[in-house]
Amino acid sequence: MSIRAALASWPLPVSGVSLRSCRCRHFSLQSYHRAVIRTAANLRPFPRASFRYTSTAATVAAADGRSLVTRLKNVLYGTSVALFFVFGYYYVTDTRAGIHQWVVAPSLRWIYDDAEDAHEAGTRALKALYELGIHPRERGSPDKDGKLGVEVFGHQLSNPIGTSAGIDKHAEIPSALLAMGPAIIEVGGATPYPQDGNPKPRVFRLPSQKALINRYGLNSEGADNVAMRLRQRVREYAYAMGFGIDEAAEQRVLDGGAHVPPGSLVEGKLMAVQVAKNKFTPDTDIEAVKRDYVYCVEALAKYADIIVVNVSSPNTPGLRGLQSVEPLTNILKGVVDAARKAEKKTKPAVMVKVSPDEDSDDQVSGICEAIWVSGVDGVIVGNTTKRRPEPLPRGYTLSEKEAGFLLEEGGYSGPQLFERTLDLVKRYRRFLDQGPPGEPEAPEKPMERSQATAESDEVTRSEEMVDVAKKIEDTVRRDKANLKEPSAQNDDSSRTQPLIRLPERHNPSPSSKTTPSAESPALSASTHLDQLPSLNKTSTSSSAVAESSRPRDQSKVIFATGGITNGRRALEVLNAGASVAMVYTALVYGGVGTISRIKGEMREEMTRH
């Protein structure tokens, strides 16, 4: 075969050109040769067989060992990182973690010089964390032991600690607040129309005193906006429970279909919604003021477990003047009537929030009278005060900055308010326990009674006693005449007769049974007289009638707020007559773990005593 024929039959292209395709062209053998050489240079050589010798095998084994160690290290590092994030998550989201008190709260104060900006940043953070499911919460269910349980308005609460209004003014984070451990939260206050409140800056810190001065002026987004936010919360809960997300599902939750309070949506907990009047509503027009409160109640009552009527804010001109008996009674009656018309099965309770500055006996008794007459269910004792207490500890000199803040207008809140709060709780408890005001009675002065009248009363009483004793003696003689003669036959027949037990009402103390002595007969005038009501008391007296008509089983409830910073103080106000101890400033300075810490201190204090 010639070279031309061999190259023509070559199976591979030569530099992309075959000989057949070039037959019609001028062909140079030399040029084609160069093309063949170029093509051969581009061809891959065939792989050669590899041979592993002893030294090569040892090297590979060492490399495999190093690779195994590397993989184990990677697994260890990965596991450590995963455990760090898991345990870090559980630690940071636990309210008992010290980071909340000693790192987070001080950092917010350091970053934000303005106290209101820090508060709003904290609110935004809690809202975002709750939506992501990584919010702080009380872990371990410490309230399950029932040691701190308390009954309020027919609800069995898990503990007696609550948060005051001002923590969540616009009802943005009620669920996040409930997760921190309180049994009651108060959101608001809400006004009929949106209002901005007072100009900024309006909140001032006194860190050395753990105190605040604020003059917010009831800044509110309006009752309708707050109601819309709460309605959305109820519908999302209904959807999560599988009820749907429409109006019927919402009503099912409000009517108790989820077996939780319709306000808090958490078993063993309640949510209070505070309402107030607009700043521009004239204080002298009581009917206009009442319409403000009623409007808010009509919008918010069905989403609340408790309605709180705020007539004690020191930053709204004229508001505290509404605490007089007549206007307060008128306003509270309107609120109670509106609350009873709420579109749900269980109507919200109504409470009134009063000022610590109205502390005279006349003022306290007047407010208690308005509470009883209007049908309000309870009172929240305490709010911020216009007064400026002495620094703690005594003799402490405030810094120039804090001394300047102390001169700012607004309501003061801090630990110094506790003694006044405790005293007010005791006094409100005493006045409220006297019941509703009775009919006016002419005062009777003992010294104006004549000696002759007193002696006449004494003679009449003695004659009554003699007359009753004579009748009883006649009865005893009649009974003795009917008794059988003592004999063995009569004794046997008596044993077969059933014993008759006197009705309980004849025994003033059924639990303490008295055994008649051998010297005294079983039936005598003295034994009957002991079972009769005391004759020195008039059984049909007006006090007895009033006592029977009072709704003692519906005693008024007291919540206490102001200066409560630890478990010991919470127990003190509870023992003084309050049902719930509420915190505000302590939560601002102590962080989200404040509620858990207070409850832990309460348990320790109760165990110690």
Side-chain angles (χ1 to χ4, degrees):
M1 178 185 295
S2 64
I3 297 176
R4 181 182 290 272
L7 292 177
S9 62
W10 192 273
L12 295 175
V14 179
S15 296
V17 181
S18 64
L19 185 61
R20 291 193 183 99
S21 63
C22 299
R23 282 178 183 173
C24 299
R25 302 177 185 176
H26 176 70
F27 177 75
S28 170
L29 184 60
Q30 219 173 12
S31 61
Y32 197 81
H33 227 185
R34 287 195 295 268
V36 170
I37 294 173
R38 285 197 303 270
T39 301
N42 292 329
L43 294 177
R44 283 187 178 181
F46 291 102
R48 296 182 179 180
S50 60
F51 298 96
R52 182 173 293 179
Y53 301 97
T54 305
S55 58
T56 306
T59 303
V60 172
D64 291 343
R66 288 193 298 271
S67 178
L68 178 61
V69 172
T70 302
R71 285 197 295 269
L72 290 176
K73 285 183 179 180
N74 292 337
V75 171
L76 180 61
Y77 291 153
T79 305
S80 301
V81 171
L83 290 176
F84 172 79
F85 280 107
V86 169
F87 284 106
Y89 163 77
Y90 279 100
Y91 175 78
V92 172
T93 58
D94 193 330
T95 56
R96 296 170 295 182
I99 190 174
H100 300 299
Q101 181 179 4
W102 305 113
V103 177
V104 177
S107 297
L108 281 173
R109 293 195 294 272
W110 179 73
I111 295 171
Y112 297 95
D113 186 60
D114 184 81
E116 185 175 0
D117 291 342
H119 184 94
E120 292 176 352
T123 300
R124 289 194 300 268
L126 280 176
K127 185 177 181 180
L129 291 173
Y130 186 84
E131 291 174 352
L132 295 173
I134 53 176
H135 58 286
R137 68 204 74 183
E138 190 173 58
R139 296 190 181 277
S141 302
D143 294 331
K144 279 190 175 180
D145 57 9
K147 291 182 179 179
L148 299 180
V150 61
E151 184 177 350
V152 175
F153 303 131
H155 298 271
Q156 188 64 35
L157 303 186
S158 57
N159 64 78
I161 305 299
T163 62
S164 296
I167 297 293
D168 186 13
K169 283 184 168 291
H170 310 306
E172 296 178 280
I173 51 170
S175 299
L177 287 179
L178 287 166
M180 295 179 192
I184 291 181
I185 63 168
E186 182 185 1
V187 300
T191 56
Y193 290 96
Q195 61 182 25
D196 295 331
N198 293 320
K200 296 181 180 182
R202 52 192 179 185
V203 187
F204 309 93
R205 303 190 197 103
L206 285 78
S208 69
Q209 304 299 300
K210 297 290 190 291
L212 291 172
I213 294 174
N214 86 80
R215 53 168 181 262
Y216 277 112
L218 285 172
N219 55 310
S220 172
E221 294 181 355
D224 292 330
N225 285 326
V226 174
M228 181 176 62
R229 192 170 289 122
L230 294 177
R231 179 172 64 247
Q232 179 66 20
R233 178 172 174 262
V234 171
R235 293 199 176 189
E236 288 177 357
Y237 180 85
Y239 182 77
M241 295 295 294
F243 299 159
I245 200 168
D246 57 358
E247 187 175 351
E250 172 193 337
Q251 193 61 44
R252 182 176 177 182
V253 174
L254 295 178
D255 288 337
H259 306 291
V260 293
S264 68
L265 303 179
V266 180
E267 185 179 1
K269 300 188 177 186
L270 301 175
M271 183 178 72
V273 178
Q274 185 188 113
V275 297
K277 79 175 191 70
N278 276 118
K279 188 175 181 178
F280 54 77
T281 304
D283 310 313
T284 54
D285 189 348
I286 300 302
E287 289 302 316
V289 172
K290 183 170 73 172
R291 284 195 297 271
D292 273 14
Y293 285 102
V294 170
Y295 182 91
C296 294
V297 173
E298 290 174 346
L300 296 165
K302 63 180 180 178
Y303 303 113
D305 302 310
I306 304 169
I307 290 292
V308 178
V309 181
N310 184 359
V311 291
S312 59
S313 171
N315 303 309
T316 301
L319 187 63
R320 289 191 171 186
L322 301 176
Q323 294 177 100
S324 301
V325 178
E326 292 79 8
L328 182 60
T329 303
N330 191 6
I331 293 168
L332 294 180
K333 280 184 177 180
V335 170
V336 170
D337 291 342
R340 289 174 179 171
K341 297 176 184 177
E343 298 175 355
K344 61 178 180 178
K345 289 185 178 179
T346 304
K347 312 303 180 185
V350 178
M351 303 186 77
V352 57
K353 192 167 192 173
V354 297
S355 164
D357 296 337
E358 275 64 42
D359 55 358
S360 69
D361 282 347
D362 289 341
Q363 290 171 321
V364 172
S365 63
I367 292 172
C368 291
E369 178 183 343
I371 290 171
W372 276 110
V373 172
S374 63
V376 165
D377 300 291
V379 57
I380 299 181
V381 176
N383 203 330
T384 57
T385 176
K386 288 186 175 181
R387 303 173 187 174
R388 294 295 182 261
E390 292 294 325
L392 292 177
R394 296 190 182 279
Y396 179 84
T397 302
L398 296 175
S399 66
E400 183 178 352
K401 183 178 181 180
E402 291 187 356
F405 286 160
L406 204 60
L407 300 176
E408 292 285 350
E409 184 181 353
Y412 184 99
S413 61
Q416 295 96 327
L417 271 65
F418 176 72
E419 296 300 330
R420 191 187 306 176
T421 299
L422 183 63
D423 176 67
L424 280 174
V425 168
K426 293 177 181 178
R427 291 162 62 193
Y428 271 97
R429 184 78 280 163
R430 184 175 73 251
F431 279 106
L432 287 173
D433 286 349
Q434 294 175 4
E439 294 296 328
E441 298 179 359
E444 184 181 9
K445 297 181 180 180
M447 297 302 295
E448 294 178 355
R449 299 181 60 188
S450 64
Q451 187 67 25
T453 304
E455 291 177 356
S456 175
D457 292 345
E458 189 67 28
V459 170
T460 303
R461 189 178 297 109
S462 299
E463 290 176 353
E464 288 178 352
M465 294 181 66
V466 171
D467 185 56
V468 173
K470 184 176 181 302
K471 290 180 180 179
I472 292 176
E473 289 291 351
D474 293 341
T475 304
V476 171
R477 282 195 296 271
R478 185 181 69 247
D479 291 343
K480 282 184 177 180
N482 294 329
L483 289 175
K484 296 179 181 180
E485 294 294 331
S487 64
Q489 182 179 1
N490 290 337
D491 290 344
D492 292 339
S493 63
S494 297
R495 290 190 184 96
T496 61
Q497 298 294 325
L499 297 176
I500 300 176
R501 183 168 177 240
L502 291 176
E504 293 281 347
R505 66 177 181 274
H506 295 299
N507 188 358
S509 56
S511 59
S512 57
K513 298 179 180 179
T514 57
T515 304
S517 60
E519 294 81 7
S520 63
L523 296 173
S524 66
S526 62
T527 58
H528 282 71
L529 283 172
D530 289 340
Q531 296 179 1
L532 291 175
S534 177
L535 291 174
N536 59 355
K537 298 179 181 178
T538 306
S539 60
T540 58
S541 64
S542 60
S543 62
V545 174
E547 187 72 18
S548 62
S549 63
R550 291 176 185 172
R552 284 293 185 184
D553 56 332
Q554 298 179 0
S555 62
K556 303 303 181 183
V557 174
I558 295 177
F559 291 178
T561 179
I564 300 171
T565 57
N566 53 48
R568 180 182 58 80
R569 289 187 170 187
L571 286 174
E572 285 190 52
V573 295
L574 295 174
N575 292 332
S579 297
V580 173
M582 307 185 80
V583 298
Y584 172 68
T585 309
L587 191 61
V588 171
Y589 280 94
V592 298
T594 302
I595 307 297
S596 298
R597 176 176 55 81
I598 289 177
K599 292 194 296 183
E601 292 170 352
M602 290 175 67
R603 293 187 183 90
E604 293 176 2
E605 195 77 16
M606 293 167 65
T607 304
R608 193 177 302 119
H609 293 84

